[in-house]
Amino acid sequence: RALNALIDAVCPGLMPDHANLEPSNAVANCRTGIELAHTKLGVDPRVLAEEMAHPKVDKNAMQTYIAQFRNVSAETIRKALASDRPAFHELASAYGPGVT
């Protein structure tokens, strides 16, 4: 869950339900976070989910992985958030004869 919280801290709204993830599904939670960070933020998946969830995780590998988050640009964050939002024309609807 910590990785997903980091993703939501770097890009608010990208993983808003991180606190509701089940702690007993650590590998699945890590896999979700790694895939999301890679596809939306361009963070290279240098660590496997199984390695990340292991109690004796390689601290240097984790530091290297997490350090990539500081290089995520504002433009990348903007694009990541924009891709998850529906276009305005998908939100709008109008009925009747129009404006009179």
Side-chain angles (χ1 to χ4, degrees):
R1 293 189 320 175
L3 174 60
N4 292 292
L6 174 62
I7 292 168
D8 196 59
V10 170
C11 188
L14 193 56
M15 189 64 180
D17 61 343
H18 63 86
N20 297 327
L21 294 173
E22 185 61 43
S24 62
N25 295 333
V27 174
N29 295 342
C30 290
R31 189 171 291 115
T32 299
I34 291 169
E35 289 173 7
L36 189 63
H38 179 64
T39 58
K40 297 290 186 175
L41 302 177
V43 175
D44 188 32
R46 297 173 185 240
V47 182
L48 297 174
E50 294 78 12
E51 295 171 337
M52 190 180 287
H54 195 277
K56 293 185 179 180
V57 64
D58 181 351
K59 292 178 183 176
N60 290 332
M62 285 303 302
Q63 288 175 345
T64 301
Y65 178 72
I66 291 171
Q68 295 180 85
F69 283 87
R70 69 178 175 203
N71 297 326
V72 175
S73 69
E75 178 67 16
T76 301
I77 292 170
R78 187 185 63 72
K79 286 179 182 178
L81 291 174
S83 67
D84 286 343
R85 294 187 181 137
F88 288 117
H89 72 275
E90 294 172 356
L91 298 174
S93 60
Y95 302 94
V99 180
T100 56

